[in-house]
Each structure stands twice: as C-alpha cells, then as structure tokens.
Amino acid sequence: MSTSNVRRMRRWGFLAFTLTMVVLLVKLGMWQMSRAAEKETLLSQLSERQQQLVTQVSSIPSDAKGFAVALNGTFDVNRSVLLDNQTHQGQVGYRWMMPFYTDNNWLLVELGWIPAPPRREDLPELPEVTGQHQITGIVDLPSKRMVLGNETAAVSWPLRVQSVDMAMIAEASGYTVLPWVIRSESIMDEAGETMNWNALPVWEPVVMQPEKHYGYAMQWFGLAFVVAIGFVVWWRKGRL
C-alpha cells in the first residue's frame, strides 16, 4: 500500500474518531440539560406542595413526598435510629432519627446530623427527650442506598444502620411505622420553645441543583467544540 493511501486512511479514520467523540460529548451535554430540567420540575412541584400544610396524618396523601406537615405527638428516644456514614463539612457523623407517635400512628422523624465520636465502636450520646412536641417538616421517602453486606442481626439501641429500611426498623422496634420520613425543620415543646438537640438539619430536596447540571452541560459542549475546532485545524494543515 502506498504512503499516500496510508495517509488517506489515517485522515479518514481520525475523522470518524473525531465525529464519534463530538457526538458523544454533545449527548453527554444534552443528558445534563435534561437532568437540569427534571430537577427544575421536581423543585417546582415540591415548592407547590410545601405551600399545603398538613396537620393530621390521616390527611397526608399516598403520594406524600414534598408536603409540609405540623404534627403533635411524642418521641420514643429509646428507639433512636442512626444512619451511618453521613459527612458534614468533612466530618463523619450520623443522621439521627426517632419514631414519633401521632394520630395513632408511628412516623420516623429525622432530627438532623450529629457528629460521630472519635472511636468507631462508640455511639454518640443522645439527649433525654420527654413530653409532647410539635414537629414541622417535609414528608419524604427514605433514600435508596446501595449497601455492601447485610445489616447485623443483633438489635441494640440506638440502632446503627447503613440504610433506612422501614420494614427492618418496624420489625426491630415492634412499631407499625408508616413508609415516610419526616425531615424536620423545627421542633417545639409544650411551652412553645424551640428544641436544640445539637442536630443540624442537612437534608436537601435534591443533592445536585439544576445550576450544576447546566454547568456540566456547558463543559461537555465546550469540549465538543474544542475537539471539532482542533480537528478542523489539523485537517487544514494536512492539506497545506
């Protein structure tokens, strides 16, 4: 095969490679754009739902995600649940949750993030919680997390878990727990004083905001543009 034919095959091969890369990069950008649009739609729906305050469990619709609630009841501090491996500002800790009894139903309420003790085998000391409380927050579904290995069969309280498995928590506690998690925004006692149990609210409706998706999309589109321009320059130089 002549040298000119080899060069021609290389040029057309590089053209095919460049077109493939440009198409792939543009598709990645379009995927990020679609994810941003989905997040915007979700945030808009959640914003509308949060305008509807629910004050009784019986009034919570089956598709409850995103509704705001204000409920009165009692916590069972002896059945606290600690969601493991939760970091905040670089520090390892737990998402602290407690069963909450209201309207003849048990709900799981997330109180917030608390730091972990220095030693892995130790659990954080939790405050005494007694009496009636009013919680305000947002109805959510437990996050789906991939867990490596099974949860330990031994049950001890506080219960340290790798994922919020409502069926497992119900079995361990003996309570019929409704399938939602209430992400608390404030908790008040019977005197109307806001409780401060050193638990930081860290939950967000979406982990990545639409703006980040748009930013990533622009990066993919920019890379596609650079690849295309680089190929055009290389092609023109090859013809000179």
Side-chain angles (χ1 to χ4, degrees):
M1 184 180 294
S2 65
T3 303
S4 61
N5 287 336
V6 171
R7 291 182 61 186
R8 187 178 298 111
M9 290 180 63
R10 287 178 176 175
R11 288 167 65 84
W12 288 107
F14 190 52
L15 172 61
F17 172 77
T18 301
L19 289 175
T20 301
M21 289 300 300
V22 170
V23 169
L24 176 61
L25 292 169
V26 169
K27 283 187 174 181
L28 287 171
M30 295 301 296
W31 177 74
Q32 288 289 350
M33 294 287 287
S34 66
R35 290 291 293 155
E38 290 174 4
K39 295 290 182 66
E40 287 181 337
T41 300
L42 175 60
L43 289 172
S44 177
Q45 292 174 345
L46 293 178
S47 178
E48 291 179 3
R49 289 188 170 192
Q50 289 175 22
Q51 307 305 314
Q52 307 176 46
L53 184 64
V54 179
T55 58
Q56 291 184 336
V57 173
S58 58
S59 300
I60 300 178
S62 56
D63 180 17
K65 183 180 175 67
F67 281 90
V69 295
L71 304 171
N72 294 290
T74 56
F75 287 105
D76 185 354
V77 71
N78 296 316
R79 296 290 187 272
S80 284
V81 176
L82 299 174
L83 180 60
D84 203 356
N85 298 316
Q86 302 295 302
T87 59
H88 178 65
Q89 296 182 349
Q91 186 175 1
V92 178
Y94 300 92
R95 293 275 193 98
W96 176 27
M97 306 179 190
M98 278 197 295
F100 186 73
Y101 189 69
T102 178
D103 285 345
N104 297 316
N105 290 281
W106 284 99
L107 293 166
L108 193 64
V109 176
E110 178 181 316
L111 306 172
W113 179 90
I114 55 176
R119 298 197 309 169
R120 168 67 183 175
E121 57 270 24
D122 294 338
L123 290 175
E125 293 186 9
L126 302 177
E128 292 292 331
V129 179
T130 59
Q132 290 274 329
H133 292 86
Q134 182 187 72
I135 63 168
T136 59
I138 305 298
V139 182
D140 193 22
L141 294 174
S143 301
K144 295 180 180 179
R145 302 178 65 201
M146 182 178 292
V147 178
L148 300 178
N150 297 323
E151 303 280 0
T152 178
V155 175
S156 61
W157 301 96
L159 185 65
R160 179 161 55 189
V161 299
Q162 302 301 315
S163 65
V164 181
D165 184 332
M166 303 301 284
M168 183 273 293
I169 293 173
E171 181 179 358
S173 64
Y175 300 146
T176 302
V177 184
L178 294 178
W180 311 305
V181 175
I182 308 299
R183 313 290 185 180
S184 66
E185 295 180 336
S186 68
I187 300 173
M188 293 188 297
D189 62 11
E190 294 176 278
E193 294 185 5
T194 300
M195 295 290 95
N196 181 12
W197 294 323
N198 295 322
L200 301 175
V202 294
W203 174 78
E204 295 181 354
V206 296
V207 176
M208 186 180 294
Q209 296 295 318
E211 292 77 12
K212 283 194 174 182
H213 286 290
Y214 285 126
Y216 289 139
M218 292 303 103
Q219 290 180 10
W220 290 122
F221 292 145
L223 285 174
F225 179 76
V226 169
V227 170
I229 293 299
F231 172 78
V232 170
V233 172
W234 175 85
W235 185 273
R236 288 176 61 86
K237 282 185 176 182
R239 288 182 175 274
L240 295 177

